């Protein structure tokens, strides 16, 4: 079977570091932190009082006011990022067959704020006060549904839920739809909005979140010896993946080429990664084989890099196993050091950063890496951006339940 080349022609991001791709990217390169005190609710009783919130976001800048009231915040982020990505791609201005355009947009949890709000109504005022829009606002697959309705895209349409690997799975599957010729273009990525009392309280109960409340901008510190957990973030990232034939026909701008995807399961524990990153090793090896590249061809890894003790140690071991001596020559960085952990949306936003790395030959830093951890012994691009030619890069995403995804992108060369 002839496999088509797949390129990224549009990107949109709503993040704690900005509402446009270029603002987001320049803030990453500058090493700015998007973390601060929680403002979405009174967090005084919570162990964690900090998060990376999206600031100054007005859903009505992107969505009809009446419709916006019937959506959860995670759907607002998805629709806004999709609008930006489609405008960026120019896809809607082309004579496209909308039956051949699909949407796979994921969320790890869905409408958590809606669920909490309607739950309070149930227990305080009875079932008669539950909103008739509760279910369609809350379900995680409603975001791709709204995107398809907004633009008339009638290709494959669904969500994939695999915790913090959700949007990476969405992009990997979208890549394969276009590669196989089953769609000409796919709108893909993820969104998440879980900075809510139950979201923060639940992760606090697991001891997964940083409690560095007195120093929020230094709280997310992947690979640093003094890391104490991740910082919750929120937002959305959407990409337009398109066949090279389609993109060439309309002379579209191309950011990078997607060339491989690898998936695996740890089959080990509900939250802890497999020892030595065994599952991550297999995902990376599958992705490199799928892409037809050798480990020595890779210059950059956008790490999952959560800032939790177990993830960072095991991801380090996994990279060392896959890349051998070449591991020491890689630049690695963690986007989460600046925007926190966007859970199901993290993979999409991080692939956007990875594509921009290939475009600009600039590697954003891992901030807050101050005290070396002997168990995290690779080059994580500490604290300052680095210029380096990047022809091949990978992005890692790992989710609770042992879900592992690795995506491979290349600098686009015709």
């Amino acid at each position: 079977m002839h496999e088509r080349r797949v390129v990224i022609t549009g990107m949109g991001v709503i993040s704690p570091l900005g509402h446009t791709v270029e603002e987001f990217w320049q803030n990453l390169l500058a090493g700015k932190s998007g973390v601060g005190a929680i403002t979405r609710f009174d967090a005084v009783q919570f162990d964690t009082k900090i998060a990376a919130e999206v600031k100054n976001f007005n859903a009505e800048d992107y969505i009809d006011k009446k419709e916006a009231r019937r959506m959860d915040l995670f759907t607002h982020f998805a629709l806004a990022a999709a609008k930006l990505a489609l405008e960026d791609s120019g896809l809607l201005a082309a004579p496209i067959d909308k039956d051949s355009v699909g949407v796979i947009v994921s969320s790890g949890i869905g409408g958590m704020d809606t669920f909490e709000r309607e739950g309070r109504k149930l227990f305080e005022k009875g079932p008669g006060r539950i909103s008739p829009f509760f279910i369609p606002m809350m379900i995680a697959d409603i975001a791709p549904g709204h995107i398809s309705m907004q633009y008339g895209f009638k290709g494959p349409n669904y969500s994939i839920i695999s915790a913090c690997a959700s949007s990476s799975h969405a992009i990997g599957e979208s890549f394969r739809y276009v590669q196989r010729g089953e769609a000409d273009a796919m709108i893909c990525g993820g969104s998440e909005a879980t900075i809510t009392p139950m979201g923060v309280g639940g992760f606090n109960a697991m001891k997964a979140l940083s409690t560095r409340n007195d120093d929020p901008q230094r709280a997310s510190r992947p690979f640093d010896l003094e890391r104490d957990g991740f910082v919750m973030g929120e937002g959305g990232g959407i990409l337009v993946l398109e066949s090279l034939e389609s993109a060439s026909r309309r002379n579209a701008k191309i950011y990078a080429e997607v060339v491989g995807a690898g998936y695996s399961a740890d089959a080990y524990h509900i939250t802890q990664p497999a020892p030595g990153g065994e599952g991550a090793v297999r995902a990376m090896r599958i992705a490199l084989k799928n892409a037809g590249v050798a480990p020595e061809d890779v210059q950059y890894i956008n790490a999952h890099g959560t800032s939790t003790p177990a993830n960072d140690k095991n991801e380090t071991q996994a990279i060392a196993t896959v890349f051998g001596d070449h591991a020491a020559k890689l630049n690695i960085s963690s986007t989460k050091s600046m925007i926190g952990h966007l859970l199901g949306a993290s993979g999409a936003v991080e692939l956007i950063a990875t594509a921009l790395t290939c475009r600009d030959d600039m590697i954003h830093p891992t901030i807050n890496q101050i005290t070396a951890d002997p168990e995290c012994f690779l080059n994580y691009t500490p604290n300052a951006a680095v210029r380096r030619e990047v022809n091949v890069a990978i992005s890692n995403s790992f989710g609770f339940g042992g879900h592992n995804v690795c995506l491979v992108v290349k600098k686009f060369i015709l």
Side-chain angles (χ1 to χ4, degrees):
M1 182 180 71
H2 170 67
E3 292 186 338
R4 303 195 299 185
R5 294 176 69 182
V6 182
V7 293
I8 302 169
T9 57
M11 302 195 296
V13 64
I14 301 293
S15 83
L17 285 180
H19 303 174
T20 70
V21 166
E22 290 305 324
E23 182 184 11
F24 164 71
W25 181 231
Q26 293 307 317
N27 282 330
L28 286 184
L29 292 177
K32 293 185 178 178
S33 171
V35 181
I38 290 174
T39 65
R40 295 206 181 279
F41 63 94
D42 183 355
V44 68
Q45 296 184 53
F46 291 73
D47 292 341
T48 293
K49 301 171 177 55
I50 56 173
E53 297 178 342
V54 171
K55 292 89 175 170
N56 305 315
F57 177 77
N58 181 8
E60 293 170 19
D61 290 343
Y62 309 91
I63 308 163
D64 173 78
K65 182 177 181 179
K66 182 179 177 182
E67 290 297 314
R69 285 202 300 266
R70 298 172 176 177
M71 298 173 186
D72 188 89
L73 182 59
F74 92 98
T75 305
H76 293 166
F77 290 153
L79 276 166
K83 182 176 189 293
L84 293 168
L86 285 163
E87 289 173 352
D88 184 43
S89 74
L91 188 68
L92 294 174
I96 56 170
D97 175 8
K98 292 188 175 180
D99 290 358
S100 189
V101 180
V103 185
I104 307 179
V105 171
S106 293
S107 175
I109 296 179
M112 179 168 267
D113 180 62
T114 297
F115 195 93
E116 290 180 32
R117 185 174 59 252
E118 297 301 319
R120 285 193 293 272
K121 286 185 190 176
L122 169 66
F123 294 118
E124 293 171 3
K125 300 178 181 178
R129 299 300 295 271
I130 296 174
S131 166
F133 295 101
F134 166 53
I135 296 297
M137 288 175 71
M138 182 267 301
I139 54 177
D141 62 317
I142 200 64
H146 275 295
I147 294 169
S148 69
M149 287 184 276
Q150 180 85 28
Y151 299 102
F153 298 140
K154 295 183 177 179
N157 187 286
Y158 54 94
S159 292
I160 298 172
I161 298 177
S162 52
C164 303
S166 296
S167 57
S168 292
H169 270 122
I171 294 165
E173 287 305 287
S174 295
F175 159 64
R176 289 174 173 162
Y177 273 113
V178 178
Q179 187 183 50
R180 293 192 301 254
E182 296 175 17
D184 288 332
M186 293 293 296
I187 316 306
C188 56
S191 66
E192 202 78 87
T194 53
I195 303 175
T196 69
M198 284 297 291
V200 173
F203 281 106
N204 265 163
M206 298 171 62
K207 308 295 184 188
L209 294 180
S210 171
T211 55
R212 199 182 293 266
N213 298 312
D214 57 348
D215 195 7
Q217 299 203 342
R218 295 188 181 186
S220 183
R221 43 199 317 125
F223 307 107
D224 184 86
L225 181 64
E226 296 180 2
R227 64 192 184 278
D228 71 331
F230 76 82
V231 173
M232 190 180 291
E234 63 178 3
I238 301 290
L239 300 94
V240 177
L241 302 192
E242 191 172 355
S243 70
L244 179 57
E245 293 92 333
S246 173
S248 298
R249 268 198 306 272
R250 60 188 191 86
N251 197 28
K253 169 184 59 185
I254 294 174
Y255 285 100
E257 181 172 1
V258 183
V259 292
Y263 313 149
S264 72
D266 280 356
Y268 175 70
H269 189 270
I270 56 172
T271 58
Q272 296 297 311
E278 184 270 340
V281 167
R282 286 183 289 111
M284 284 189 274
R285 284 178 170 161
I286 293 167
L288 293 173
K289 183 178 180 181
N290 182 230
V293 300
E296 294 74 20
D297 296 329
V298 178
Q299 290 85 35
Y300 171 66
I301 296 176
N302 188 294
H304 188 59
T306 56
S307 183
T308 59
N311 173 86
D312 295 357
K313 171 187 167 184
N314 281 277
E315 186 170 15
T316 298
Q317 292 173 342
I319 292 169
T321 299
V322 172
F323 290 91
D325 292 342
H326 186 64
K329 302 174 185 175
L330 293 165
N331 275 91
I332 301 164
S333 62
S334 169
T335 308
K336 294 181 181 74
S337 66
M338 290 173 271
I339 64 169
H341 192 347
L342 274 59
L343 307 183
S346 61
V349 174
E350 289 161 16
L351 192 69
I352 288 171
T354 307
L356 294 168
T357 301
C358 290
R359 184 194 69 174
D360 292 353
D361 291 323
M362 287 295 297
I363 296 165
H364 76 66
T366 302
I367 67 167
N368 302 323
Q369 202 194 358
I370 298 165
T371 307
D373 179 349
E375 293 192 296
C376 298
F377 47 81
L378 298 174
N379 175 14
Y380 308 102
T381 320
N383 303 313
V386 168
R387 178 170 292 282
R388 176 180 181 178
E389 184 176 10
V390 176
N391 296 311
V392 182
I394 70 173
S395 178
N396 284 336
S397 296
F398 312 129
F400 283 171
H403 315 296
N404 308 301
V405 180
C406 177
L407 301 172
V408 186
V409 296
K410 276 184 173 178
K411 188 186 295 293
F412 175 69
I413 300 173
L414 189 60

